[in-house]
Amino acid sequence: MKVVVLGSSGSLGSPGNPASGYLIQLDNAPSIVMDLGPGALANLQAVQNPSDAHVVFSHLHPDHCLDFPSLMVWRRYHPEFLAKGRNYCAGPSDTPVRMGRLSADIPEGIDDFSDTFAFLPWEAHKPHHIDRVTITPFTAIHPIESYSLRLEENATGKVIAYSGDTAYTTELIDCARNADLFLCEATWGDTSEGKVPDMHISGAEAGKIATLAGVKHLVLTHIPPWADPQVTLQAAREHYAGPIDLAMPGGIFEV
Ligand SMILES: [Zn+2]
Ligand SMILES: [Zn+2]
């Protein structure tokens, strides 16, 4: 598997870096787009036809999903690269309503996306099998229905874990257990002390979770424009001895 970072800026885009979006490319199967924040669709176009992908959402805060209505425009109306059939869209239970409202023509309308996506609702710990991978959602701690996602390639057993947005929770340790790549948010800089509760984690907590889960490679992401990534990275290093990278747009990780 190959992970391509489409956008990694936390809570909102920053110059040259869209908000959260990650592309997972597989051999001989449609790709999987994991979150699609504002700006991520432009970078997705630079890598592949956006129609040739399933979409999975960790949660539906704007920085993780706002390019979805534009993706539907591409899938329905692109003169050449429109979707040839339906792909899966997996997400929180209210995804069809929330995404449908975003692209409705009238305020109370809902744009039914079932012409182009088959919807799969997450239920904690219940895996969905999508082509060559199995994706299991774990309960995240965040103000709206949110999940951390564990994606396993069936043929190889390789695992990519993605925190989504979450406060510190043992669910995230279970999600990331022995992962080959752990894409973990680290919004709160070096420490969560004094920050809003039940919202995000720090670089230090990302490092602790990576160690407790025994992951092989930690990639820090969702660092907001006002934070210093090097401070976040250093805080993670103090708690995790394995390889650590910062997710940057265009970054590619082979798993
Ligand atoms: Zn976010
Ligand atoms: Zn969020």
Side-chain angles (χ1 to χ4, degrees), residues 17-242:
N17 189 4
S20 298
Y22 311 93
L23 175 69
I24 297 167
Q25 292 187 309
L26 305 155
D27 290 334
N28 305 314
S31 301
I32 292 177
V33 170
M34 216 163 47
D35 287 346
L36 194 63
L41 180 60
N43 283 350
L44 177 57
Q45 290 170 51
V47 180
Q48 68 161 67
N49 177 4
S51 292
D52 191 20
H54 307 293
V55 177
V56 301
F57 288 118
S58 63
H59 69 301
L60 300 176
H61 271 154
D63 56 317
H64 295 255
C65 67
L66 278 192
D67 262 0
F68 190 76
S70 302
L71 174 62
M72 285 202 278
V73 172
W74 179 287
R75 292 180 64 93
R76 287 167 171 163
Y77 305 117
H78 194 288
E80 194 177 348
F81 298 123
L82 77 176
K84 301 287 195 290
R86 295 205 300 175
N87 284 97
Y88 289 112
C89 170
S93 53
D94 55 1
T95 299
V97 173
R98 285 178 180 262
M99 293 301 100
R101 284 197 175 130
L102 280 180
S103 65
D105 291 332
I106 54 173
E108 63 276 19
I110 293 175
D111 179 13
D112 179 1
F113 67 52
S114 62
D115 60 308
T116 192
F117 281 110
F119 177 61
L120 303 172
W122 296 135
E123 280 177 52
H125 309 139
K126 184 183 163 196
H128 280 304
H129 305 283
I130 299 178
D131 298 331
R132 293 165 178 265
V133 299
T134 300
I135 306 178
T136 308
F138 289 75
T139 306
I141 298 176
H142 206 53
I144 60 172
E145 185 183 349
S146 301
Y147 299 93
S148 303
L149 303 176
R150 180 182 177 88
L151 183 150
E152 181 168 345
E153 188 177 35
N154 299 332
T156 63
K158 296 276 187 181
V159 170
I160 296 165
Y162 171 46
S163 63
D165 287 1
T166 184
Y168 189 97
T169 167
T170 55
E171 280 275 299
L172 184 51
I173 300 168
D174 293 338
C175 175
R177 186 84 59 201
N178 300 321
D180 295 277
L181 187 82
F182 179 31
L183 191 57
C184 188
E185 74 124 297
T187 311
W188 287 153
D190 57 344
T191 177
S192 290
E193 270 179 47
K195 307 290 189 345
V196 179
D198 299 335
M199 185 78 81
H200 290 300
I201 57 178
S202 63
E205 288 169 320
K208 280 180 198 167
I209 291 166
T211 294
L212 290 168
V215 306
K216 297 182 181 71
H217 185 180
L218 172 62
V219 178
L220 299 174
T221 193
H222 203 276
I223 296 172
W226 48 80
D228 182 346
Q230 294 304 322
V231 170
T232 307
L233 183 67
Q234 186 54 38
R237 265 199 218 296
E238 287 170 17
H239 297 276
Y240 175 68

